[in-house]
Amino acid sequence: MQSVTEEEGHTLMSVTAEPVIDLDQERKEILKCYRRLLREAKPMLKDHDAKLIKKAFNTSLEAHQNMRRRSGEPYIYHPLAVAQIAVEEIGLGTTSIVAALLHDVVEDTEMTIADIDRLFGPKVARIIDGLTKISGKFEYGSSQQAENFRKMLLTLSDDVRVILIKLADRLHNMRTLDSMPRDKQLKIASETIFIYAPLAHRLGLNAIKSELEDLYLKYAEPEAYKDIARKLRETKTSRDRFIARFIEPIEDDLREMGYDFVVKGRPKSIYSIYNKLSKQKKPFEEIFDLFAIRIILNVPPESEKAGCWQAYSIVTDHYKPNPDRLKDWISTPRANGYESLHTTVMSKAGQWVEVQIRTARMNEIAEKGYAAHWKYKGNETQTGRGIDTWISQVREMLESASNEKTGAIEFLDDFRSNLYSEEVFVFTPKGDLKVLQRGATALDFAFDIHTQIGARCMAAKVNTTLVPLSHVLNNGDQVEIITSNKQKPNEDWLRFVVTSKAKTKIKDLIKEENKQHITDGREAVAKKLKTLRLELTNEILNQLRAYFGSKTSNDFFYRVGKGHIDVQELKKFKSDKESKENRQNKLNTDTLQDGKQFEKELKKLHGERADADMLLIGEDMDRIDYTLAKCCNPISGDDVFGFVTVNEGIKIHRTTCPNAVELMSNHGNRIIKAKWTSQRDLAFLAGLRITGTDRVGLVNDVTKIISNELHINIRSITIDSKDGIFEGTLKLYVHNTRHLEELMKKLEKVDGVVKVARFD
């Protein structure tokens, strides 16, 4: 059987001893999947479309004939499933079905883009090219994943179907992630939450976005996922009873007014409930808004707005609304085309309930997003304008980013900042509406109008009042920009702008000016090093960069060219370098004279890791030297992974580390397996936060348990009390997660203690 490189969730496998496979049964299953795809696509097929789909299916079947997925099933199941999602769940047509069936053939087989072009035409070839990963080597410190994301996103300006098919591909990979090893599951899940779920949100694919988020949680935090899913199942009956009672009077009134409608009560996604639990620090039982009621009206386009407001009136006749929670996305749709009326009302049982009111057209756009928007584009609604505006903004950003040497990671960060943002609606002096990201400033507004207006912006008038460039805009503000030919962009501007467009343009303008400073700095450093009898090699440059605390060599040269670093300081660098080398040579000589002393020092340096069988790293599960990341302070027993840093060797992070998603998404090639095994009693620093009601002797009871009962060393303890409530933070040394959990359970039993939680 053919062996193919591992890739994403659809990893292929090489088999030596063939399992028993019923090939006839598999062929029947494949044909069944293919016929189901044709049935779903039938309403939108024209002329020769069915023949073209059949040709794509046969081409894919032949190209992947000897391949199997990690699960053992024939590989063709995957492209068929991706095509099915593209049609059924996104609403795409023939070109997309063909591209979905062929999306892996160039990457995984001998077929080329030229072959696709010849057989299926340039449109399909362009989409496949956008979906095909970049091969080859990347310079150290860059990210192959980020480069591939950038390549895929650059095609957005030509054909948004590339992104939509990629989302279908990622959704199927996430649905079938069970067969992957744990480290691959974490890497793929992290990429999903980092870029694909936000993309689905921005393109209005609400159902897909929610499923991707839930699947991320299923693999990243399996215990939390199972716990919430179980509690939702257990509370379903009582929730259904509550919903039935709540909607009964609303349904009666809607029927009386002659509306054709559907009312649904649906639980919020597991991921959104998890976020609420994490942010509000409350138990599941105390989270009330676990579900939303959705009223969907079947009305003609001209009656949509009036119908939705009438339904709102009926809801508020029966239940008291929260005036701060009314969101009118019908008069002003969101940038991704989403239209709906949201209100939160108080039920008769004293519980807040979110009610969403929309039409059938609006509901389809909310679920299927961008693709559904094209279906209704002929209608005179505002739906299309928001998405089209966003696509054109993205196009501008992508074009400027592709014309300069922006790092792929920096590019991705700028792009992501625009994905999950809410909007703010503001007006020009002439009354034109501008939709910006929430949190946008007067300077963001200036760059949105034109790059040159942004570059020369001195101040602004908001509602006729003079304000600084950093002034944050609110809904309904009218903004006038004041410019000056003497004004120039500066790095401070990047601190307060929030839109990708403004950030990208400011960076472009600053880079032009900075190029000269970098050139001047490089020349000055080379000249000074020559007088110090040193050569500007890569090694020396890295040492200089680290010595002066610069992130990159260009940053170092820029600081010299700008005058922030005096070249005379290079003398001190040379003398410090020589002193360090002399000390190192002496240490090497001394320790080599006494081998036992050297071994002792080594054990001291590494906390006896030299012979303590504690953390196994890499595919071969070797004992390799490492350091524990300070951002999350992992302890023995935590679920962890290793990250190969540029200068500091292997760092161990918890899988729940705040930086884990970004590291796995941007630097998957530098992530390695790590697993705790049996070890001697070693001490790890852990932090606990304790809250409760204050009383005399409480601190004494807490410290007794820590020191006397469990013999744990305390590094620091801080307890603050106000109005009868106390909050304490403890930093202490524990052996492993079991040791820590035992301590937390004992502390929770102390009289007055309400909550004990670990912090990083």
Side-chain angles (χ1 to χ4, degrees):
M1 190 172 283
Q2 188 173 349
S3 172
V4 186
T5 317
E6 281 198 0
E7 192 273 314
E8 279 197 357
H10 54 265
T11 302
L12 310 179
M13 66 178 199
S14 171
V15 180
T16 46
E18 287 282 352
V20 178
I21 293 167
D22 187 339
L23 294 174
D24 281 340
Q25 187 56 39
E26 280 188 350
R27 272 194 287 273
K28 282 176 191 168
E29 250 338 285
I30 291 164
L31 283 172
K32 192 175 163 188
C33 293
Y34 171 63
R35 287 188 191 116
R36 183 180 158 217
L37 173 66
L38 283 180
R39 269 199 313 277
E40 194 66 41
K42 196 177 179 183
M44 60 184 85
L45 298 184
K46 301 184 190 107
D47 304 337
H48 304 294
D49 285 358
K51 280 184 184 172
L52 195 63
I53 292 169
K54 186 180 181 181
K55 183 179 171 185
F57 167 66
N58 286 328
T59 304
S60 184
L61 188 62
E62 192 180 335
H64 295 300
Q65 66 179 324
N66 292 321
M67 299 176 189
R68 291 190 174 266
R69 302 188 81 212
R70 168 80 68 157
S71 60
E73 67 188 16
Y75 191 77
I76 189 65
Y77 282 1
H78 173 66
L80 275 168
V82 173
Q84 188 73 31
I85 293 167
V87 179
E88 196 176 330
E89 299 180 52
I90 304 177
L92 296 173
T94 302
T95 305
S96 299
I97 294 169
V98 170
L101 288 168
L102 299 166
H103 77 275
D104 276 331
V105 294
V106 172
E107 199 169 293
D108 292 343
T109 76
E110 299 300 311
M111 195 169 271
T112 64
I113 294 292
D115 295 332
I116 300 287
D117 195 332
R118 181 171 46 79
L119 291 166
F120 298 98
K123 258 189 198 172
V124 173
R126 267 200 307 274
I127 294 172
I128 303 290
D129 188 36
L131 290 163
T132 303
K133 282 192 167 63
I134 303 166
S135 57
K137 290 188 176 176
F138 291 80
E139 58 182 279
Y140 199 64
S142 76
S143 161
Q144 182 164 352
Q145 282 157 294
E147 293 286 359
N148 281 313
F149 287 140
R150 170 152 74 173
K151 181 193 177 194
M152 179 184 72
L153 293 170
L154 288 172
T155 60
L156 183 63
S157 54
D158 295 326
D159 198 329
V160 75
R161 286 175 294 193
V162 173
I163 307 287
L164 296 170
I165 295 164
K166 187 65 194 173
L167 285 169
D169 176 41
R170 178 50 59 124
L171 180 59
H172 186 246
N173 285 328
M174 288 298 289
R175 284 173 178 172
T176 55
L177 206 54
D178 275 338
S179 56
M180 298 295 285
R182 172 80 175 136
D183 59 318
K184 291 278 194 304
Q185 286 177 347
L186 282 171
K187 174 185 165 291
I188 293 161
S190 295
E191 284 178 3
T192 299
I193 205 71
F194 188 69
I195 191 76
Y196 292 110
L199 261 174
H201 167 80
R202 205 63 177 91
L203 290 167
L205 295 156
N206 190 53
I208 287 177
K209 175 213 103 169
S210 295
E211 190 177 346
L212 287 175
E213 287 174 339
D214 280 1
L215 287 167
Y216 158 76
L217 192 66
K218 182 182 175 182
Y219 293 102
E221 292 277 3
E223 292 310 313
Y225 177 87
K226 283 177 198 160
D227 190 44
I228 295 169
R230 178 179 54 77
K231 284 173 178 170
L232 280 174
R233 279 196 306 275
E234 287 168 359
T235 56
K236 186 180 185 303
T237 309
S238 61
R239 201 167 57 242
D240 289 348
R241 265 201 312 271
F242 175 87
I243 290 166
R245 280 199 304 270
F246 180 89
I247 66 177
E248 190 179 358
I250 299 169
E251 288 183 321
D252 290 344
D253 285 7
L254 285 169
R255 272 191 215 100
E256 203 174 304
M257 297 193 80
Y259 278 108
D260 177 18
F261 66 91
V262 176
V263 180
K264 296 176 181 175
R266 50 183 292 278
K268 295 202 170 172
S269 71
I270 293 175
Y271 181 77
S272 66
I273 293 170
Y274 170 78
N275 276 344
K276 274 185 182 294
L277 293 170
S278 304
K279 282 174 190 164
Q280 296 178 15
K281 306 287 181 197
K282 286 181 179 177
F284 181 89
E285 293 68 31
E286 289 177 30
I287 301 283
F288 293 120
D289 50 346
L290 292 172
F291 57 87
I293 303 291
R294 187 172 292 164
I295 300 169
I296 302 164
L297 305 174
N298 260 315
V299 290
E302 65 275 9
S303 311
E304 285 190 335
K305 203 169 177 182
C308 289
W309 281 109
Q310 195 150 30
Y312 171 78
S313 176
I314 289 169
V315 172
T316 53
D317 281 348
H318 292 284
Y319 306 106
K320 205 79 178 159
N322 180 338
D324 297 329
R325 297 293 300 272
L326 174 64
K327 289 175 184 169
D328 176 11
W329 303 117
I330 291 176
S331 304
T332 321
R334 296 171 85 166
N336 62 8
Y338 180 84
E339 292 173 89
S340 195
L341 202 54
H342 289 202
T343 183
T344 303
V345 297
M346 180 62 78
S347 72
K348 301 285 191 280
Q351 190 171 330
W352 288 111
V353 178
E354 186 186 341
V355 181
Q356 302 169 356
I357 303 163
R358 58 180 73 154
T359 65
R361 176 191 66 80
M362 293 173 190
N363 191 58
E364 191 173 356
I365 285 165
E367 294 303 315
K368 291 188 176 174
Y370 194 89
H373 143 61
W374 288 108
K375 178 178 169 182
Y376 294 103
K377 203 165 182 193
N379 289 4
E380 283 305 309
T381 69
Q382 298 182 56
T383 310
R385 278 182 251 160
I387 304 179
D388 289 341
T389 304
W390 180 71
I391 292 287
S392 63
Q393 284 173 355
V394 169
R395 198 168 282 140
E396 270 182 53
M397 192 193 90
L398 293 170
E399 281 165 5
S400 63
S402 60
N403 291 336
E404 49 138 331
K405 291 185 177 176
T406 311
I409 293 171
E410 185 186 345
F411 165 86
L412 197 59
D413 285 344
D414 283 351
F415 184 79
R416 283 184 73 250
S417 71
N418 239 12
L419 290 177
Y420 261 140
S421 58
E422 298 288 335
E423 293 92 20
V424 62
F425 303 93
V426 292
F427 296 90
T428 67
K430 290 182 179 176
D432 294 330
L433 176 69
K434 292 277 177 188
V435 183
L436 298 172
Q437 187 175 330
R438 185 164 293 284
T441 60
L443 187 57
D444 285 299
F445 178 87
F447 273 101
D448 192 70
I449 293 170
H450 195 278
T451 302
Q452 284 313 307
I453 290 173
R456 297 200 304 271
C457 180
M458 282 285 290
K461 280 185 181 177
V462 173
N463 307 325
T464 71
T465 304
L466 195 67
V467 296
L469 300 181
S470 58
H471 177 84
V472 176
L473 302 175
N474 294 309
N475 277 332
D477 282 347
Q478 193 164 27
V479 190
E480 181 187 343
I481 298 299
I482 299 162
T483 60
S484 163
N485 287 329
K486 291 180 180 174
Q487 177 69 298
K488 279 200 301 190
N490 62 70
E491 285 175 7
D492 264 3
W493 285 10
L494 291 167
R495 281 190 305 104
F496 56 80
V497 291
V498 298
T499 59
S500 296
K501 184 176 181 180
K503 281 181 187 172
T504 306
K505 296 298 180 189
I506 293 165
K507 284 174 188 171
D508 285 354
L509 293 161
I510 291 171
K511 271 177 188 170
E512 280 307 307
E513 194 184 334
N514 287 353
K515 276 177 189 171
Q516 193 53 48
H517 291 308
I518 291 168
T519 306
D520 294 347
R522 184 182 281 274
E523 286 171 4
V525 168
K527 195 174 173 185
K528 186 65 186 172
L529 287 177
K530 204 171 183 182
T531 64
L532 295 170
R533 295 184 181 176
L534 287 171
E535 198 181 333
L536 186 56
T537 60
N538 277 340
E539 189 184 353
I540 293 288
L541 184 53
N542 270 330
Q543 289 171 2
L544 282 165
R545 185 185 56 69
Y547 185 82
F548 289 102
S550 298
K551 283 185 179 176
T552 63
S553 51
N554 276 351
D555 179 40
F556 167 65
F557 290 134
Y558 167 77
R559 287 169 66 199
V560 174
K562 191 92 170 160
H564 296 158
I565 297 173
D566 189 339
V567 284
Q568 297 308 319
E569 290 182 52
L570 266 64
K571 269 187 192 174
K572 189 170 184 308
F573 159 76
K574 187 190 176 187
S575 64
D576 286 354
K577 181 178 182 295
E578 285 170 351
S579 303
K580 189 179 174 184
E581 282 167 358
N582 290 337
R583 275 200 311 275
Q584 189 63 47
N585 289 338
K586 187 175 185 308
L587 179 69
N588 289 347
T589 309
D590 291 348
T591 52
L592 281 170
Q593 284 169 355
D594 185 353
K596 283 183 183 174
Q597 183 61 30
F598 176 73
E599 200 174 318
K600 270 187 195 170
E601 291 299 321
L602 190 66
K603 282 182 182 177
K604 232 185 262 177
L605 276 169
H606 300 298
E608 295 203 343
R609 284 182 200 150
D611 61 4
D613 192 18
M614 47 173 306
L615 191 68
L616 302 179
I617 296 172
E619 291 298 324
D620 299 323
M621 290 281 110
D622 290 332
R623 281 174 290 178
I624 303 170
D625 199 20
Y626 60 88
T627 54
L628 299 173
K630 288 196 172 83
C631 49
C632 57
N633 282 323
I635 67 175
S636 175
D638 281 336
D639 202 356
V640 290
F641 66 92
F643 180 69
V644 183
T645 64
V646 177
N647 295 318
E648 299 173 83
I650 294 168
K651 282 209 165 174
I652 302 299
H653 293 259
R654 283 159 65 189
T655 54
T656 55
C657 171
N659 299 318
V661 166
E662 195 169 347
L663 292 175
M664 290 185 195
S665 297
N666 281 335
H667 305 285
N669 57 317
R670 287 157 63 186
I671 301 292
I672 53 174
K673 282 185 194 174
K675 192 170 87 176
W676 298 104
T677 183
S678 60
Q679 72 281 330
R680 298 179 182 179
D681 283 350
L682 293 159
F684 297 88
L685 185 65
L688 291 181
R689 192 168 280 114
I690 308 181
T691 49
T693 52
D694 199 10
R695 64 173 174 81
V696 176
L698 181 104
V699 177
N700 187 38
D701 289 350
V702 166
T703 51
K704 250 190 214 170
I705 286 171
I706 296 167
S707 303
N708 299 358
E709 286 189 38
L710 295 175
H711 308 294
I712 291 172
N713 286 329
I714 300 173
R715 176 169 148 180
S716 69
I717 180 167
T718 312
I719 292 195
D720 188 29
S721 177
K722 189 180 179 184
D723 300 330
I725 302 294
F726 82 88
E727 184 168 302
T729 53
L730 305 168
K731 289 181 186 172
L732 24 84
Y733 291 98
V734 295
H735 302 320
N736 50 39
T737 46
R738 278 201 310 279
H739 197 199
L740 184 64
E741 281 160 14
E742 187 186 351
L743 170 63
M744 288 168 75
K745 278 177 189 165
K746 282 183 180 281
L747 290 177
E748 279 169 351
K749 287 176 185 170
V750 172
D751 186 27
V753 173
V754 173
K755 189 172 183 188
V756 181
R758 181 178 171 187
F759 69 88
D760 295 332

